[in-house]
Each structure stands twice: as C-alpha cells, then as structure tokens.
Amino acid sequence: MKRLLAPLMVLILLAASALVADRPLPRADLVILNRGEVSTLDATQMSWLQDFRVAVMLFDGLTRYDLDSPDLAPIPALASSWESSPDATTYTFHLRDARWSNGDPITSHDFIYSWRRSLLPENAADYAKLFQLIKGGKEFYTWRSSALAEFTASGSSDRDAAARVLWDRTLAEFDRVVGLHTPDDRTLIVELERPTPYFLDVVSFVAFAPQHPASIRAHERLDPRTGAMTTSPGWTQPGTLITSGAFTLETWRFKRDMRLARNPNYWDASSISIRSIAIPVIADANAQVLASRSGAVDWTSDITPGYRGELVKLKTRFDAEHAAEIARLAAAGLSQSQIDEQLPDDPRNRVHAFPSFGTYFYNFNCRPSLAGGLPNPFADARVRRAFAMCVDKAALTGSIRRIGEPPAGSFIPPRSIARYPAPDGLPFEPGGARALLQQAGYPAGKGLPTIELLYNSEGEHDQIAQAIAKTWERELGVEVRLIRKEVRTFREDVKSGRFMISRASWFGDYGDPTTFLDTCRTGDGNNDRGYSSPEYDNLLDAASRELDPSRRFELLSRAESLLVEQDLPLLPLFHYSQLYMYDPRRVKGVSAHPRQVQYLHRLRLEGSP
C-alpha cells in the first residue's frame, strides 16, 4: 500500500506546488502594457522598442537623458562626471560608487567587457556599427571576422584547444587595437575614430549600458567548429539576471507577463518611489483599452484598436472645450503632458497623442536574388521607385490610421531634429510609376512574379497591406500575395532576408540624423533590406569628417534624398504619433518630447488606480 501511495503523494505535492507557484501576486504599484512581447534582455541582441523600454528600467549607462531638457541633454548616471579632449576625440568618464543588484561593484572593466561583446561579429549585434565609433572598433570587428573564417576553414585536429588559442589572441587584439582604457576601476577612457558631436547622447542609449560579466561568462562556450564565443540566454532569466538599474527582474513568463521589483542596491534608489512594475501581455487591442479604462492598467504604450480614431476625436473635442485654459498653460511654458495633468477629470482625457521620433515604412529586398535563389526584381531601383510612387499615403493616414499622423516623404520625421532639412520624398504618381516599370522591362507589370508582402500579425498591418496591395494591383497590373506571420517568425524572416517586401518601423535612438540613416549603410546590423550604395556610404563618411554643423547636416540630407527620392530601399509611409492611454491626474511625469524617451520607473503616481 505504501508503494502505491508514494507516487500518488508525489503527484499531489507537485500539483499543490504548481498552484502555489502560479498564485497571483499583489497588484504592482505601476502596471503597464508594453508595445509587444519582449524578445531579449541581452544588449547585443536588442533592436525592438519594447525591449529597450524594459531595459532602461533594468540597466543604467554612463549617462541618461534629461527628460526635462528641450533637447534631452545627457546627464550623469553611472558616470558622475566626464571631460573631453579639445578635439572631442577622447572622453574620460569617472564612475560613481555604484553596485550591481547582487552587491558587486560596477567598474570600468564591466564596460569594456560589455562593449567588446557588441563588437564580436559572432554576436551579430544590431548596433555593432554604433560601437565602431570607438577607435579601432571597426578594425577589431574585421580582424575577428577574418580570424573566425580562417578557423572554420582550418583542419586543426584539436579544435577545442585551437578555439581557446584564438580566443586568447582575440582578447589581446582587442586590447591592442580598440581605444578603450581603464587606468583604474572607476575611470573609463574612450578614444573615438573622429569627432562625434552626439557621443554623450549615444552612451545614454541603453545598448551601451554595461551588463554583469560574471553572469554572462557562466553561460559562454567556445564553439570548437567555428571558434566563436557563444552565449546561451539563461543569464537573462529571473533569479539569474544581475542589473545595474532601478529595478530587478522578478518574473518573466513568455506570452503571459513580466514583473520588476525595485533594486535596493541602485545608486539612485532614493529617487524611485515605485516599488514594483507589472507588465502583463494582452495581445488583443480591445482588451488593452478595456484594461486601461477599468484601472487595471496604469499606462499603455500603444493604442491600436480600429476605433482609436474615435478616441482621438473625443480627446480633440475635450481640448477644444478647454482651449482657453490650454492656451494659458502653454503660454506659461508647460508641456503637452503637463497641461493634460492640469485639466479637469474626464474620461476623454485618457488618450494622448504625441509627435514621435518614428516612421512606419516598407522594406524592399535589394539583394540580387531572393531567398529561394530566384532573381529579385526589386534589385532594380526603378522597380522599387515605381512601387513607392504608387502608394496613396494620405489615404492610409486618413482612412485607416485616423489619428492625425502625417504622411511620410522622408525617413526622418521632419522638425524632429533642430536645423536638419528633411527631403520631400516622392509624390503619389501612378502614371510615372507605370513608366518606370516599363523602363525596367515590366510593361503593365508583365514579367513580374507574384509580389509577396510580409507583415506581422499585431496591429493594423492587415488593413494597410490590403489597401496598398489593391492600389498596386489596380495601377501596376501586378498580383500581390499577402503573408501574415506571428511576430517572432516574422522577425526571423526579415533578419534573414526571406521576403520581397516587408513591413517595418524605426524609432530613433539618439538625437542625430545618423540614428536613422546608418540603418541603410552597407553591412549595418539594422540594414534588413540588404541595400548597398557606395554613393550613399560616401556621403555618410563625408558627413562624419565634417566639423561644420550646417555643412554636416547638408551632406546627411543629400544622403537621405538618395534613399527616399532615387534608390528607395525603403518606402516611408507615415510618421508615427505616439498614442498612449493613461489618467494624467494619477500618472504624472510622462515626457512629451518628440523623441518619446520614457523612464517609466520615474513616473509619479497619485491616488489609487
């Protein structure tokens, strides 16, 4: 009998343990809905806005943005102070006495380790090019790439030993070539390839935040086949992830939720009043709005249901009713979000549309061949330009989006960067588009294969794709096949070049045109299009050497004109308005700056949800 009961008791205990483990936690101080499921918390792999939005709560960098500054000026974070050389090619950062969430001191060596990971080609970091602003960064990246290729082709009998030898050579080469120096634990010296007027802005970007070396090393392994240093993602999981920011990762359940807890070892803990943050995953757009309206969620990052245009209209009417008070507060210097905080309590004042530093666009695959080996018609810029000229962008924003977003001619949102002259882009001109197709050898679309348009399943991408496909079929005589995939598969296909045309969006990471334009450089980690133009690259290179700010912006504007008026590796469709949902009388401190950097852990909460 005991033998029979023993397994039964084990099952009962396991079931009871599962129930206890899955018991709901108390409501967090702040509950937010992110843009989508977080993909990774590894800085070398981040590319999506939802990843960065969580990462800034977990990791601090040398500097952070001052959200009260009109230009988001960098202010001290892990670096308490810094100075630069007269020619602005060397920065010396002095670290404060800060600690990781496990109590370890944060040192200058942690930055070296973390930044080296982003310069290792085997990590395929999306922002590797940004780290190549550092002197010797590109040289090291190229050397390591060649060394790995030679190793893979070699016939070494003891490949484990050979991989270790190559890794030791790699560390020595990094120290020899890359302009990063640590004279002591609290000093980091960074030498740059050239004067970079936005470098302090760059190191405020969370991709430059350090990550805990000992945790990552425990998950690293040299691959004896390739010589590459591989890293399993286990170090980013709850209970293992060590953070430098205001919060730690308490739970992370795929497609369910994420929960953050205040980091008691955070250097600026006294400024953080929020003790816990919950990030549930609610995929349905209608359910997101209901959760916000009911008070179950305090702040929602993107409002996407089909009726959101009506929500914006209600807010517009509310603002019209209080126009005099809004004008008075604006004259007093208050921002849009600060004005909303002062207005009367009203359900209509829960939706907030801010200009955003982001653009919705389509990628054209510019590679000579498609993933299956077939010739790619979009390798011809005339074909890309024809398809770009055959999209009625005003109709998209007016009839589908309906929240007042401007149609996009340029890649960079106009007026988002002071004194930068954005180009106009191409007009909607179906007749000219047909003429271009004929020049390219496809009269009335004849000879073109079925055009495949790839997009992910979230949001209004269906409606946008359907509208554009109908126009292309009607005006260009082509057949369009819409391909809708779950977001992770979609991302993998785009990164691997398995598409003809794909949906995309980009939000700038720092306040300079290169945050958009570098994504189209040859070989850039974010160049999903496979676009390569010596003329374009040369313009960016010339701008990087130019010390006169006006002349530099002129060169960058010429480069953008090449993108959006001639070569068209991408098709800008509209510039985003960032549409949040929150009660401004309870949630205070939301930034209204067009770059839409939000440090959610620094919000001020008043009253009960």
Side-chain angles (χ1 to χ4, degrees), residues 142-155:
T142 302
W143 177 88
R144 174 68 174 172
S145 298
S146 298
L148 289 174
E150 291 173 8
F151 181 92
T152 302
S154 70

Side-chain angles (χ1 to χ4, degrees), residues 25-26 28 41 58 236-241 243 247-253 257-262 275-278:
L25 293 168
L41 293 176
L58 298 172
T236 64
Q237 299 306 303
T240 304
L241 183 68
T243 65
F247 282 78
T248 61
L249 180 63
E250 192 172 31
T251 61
W252 183 6
R253 301 182 294 184
D257 58 16
M258 179 179 279
R259 190 177 177 101
L260 313 182
R262 188 164 56 186
R275 295 165 299 176
S276 57
I277 300 175

Side-chain angles (χ1 to χ4, degrees), residues 452-499:
E452 295 183 347
L453 173 52
L454 174 68
Y455 58 94
N456 57 297
S457 52
E458 293 78 4
E460 294 174 334
H461 311 310
D462 266 317
Q463 295 170 270
I464 293 171
Q466 289 165 11
I468 291 175
K470 285 179 182 177
T471 305
W472 284 342
E473 290 177 335
R474 182 181 68 248
E475 301 291 349
L476 299 179
V478 299
E479 181 180 345
V480 181
R481 178 184 170 216
L482 302 182
I483 303 175
R484 180 176 182 264
K485 292 192 176 183
E486 187 272 335
V487 66
R488 287 205 173 190
T489 306
F490 163 79
R491 292 172 183 172
E492 290 169 2
D493 284 355
V494 171
K495 283 297 175 188
S496 302
R498 296 191 294 266
F499 67 93

Side-chain angles (χ1 to χ4, degrees), residues 58-78:
L58 298 172
F59 301 104
D60 261 15
L62 291 167
T63 59
R64 68 170 182 249
Y65 302 109
D66 180 1
L67 300 190
D68 295 324
S69 167
D71 58 355
L72 291 187
I75 57 176
L78 291 179

Side-chain angles (χ1 to χ4, degrees), residues 185-200:
D185 288 351
R186 301 272 286 277
T187 306
L188 175 65
I189 299 173
V190 184
E191 297 178 84
L192 303 176
E193 287 284 1
R194 63 188 70 88
T196 305
Y198 51 89
F199 186 66
L200 289 176

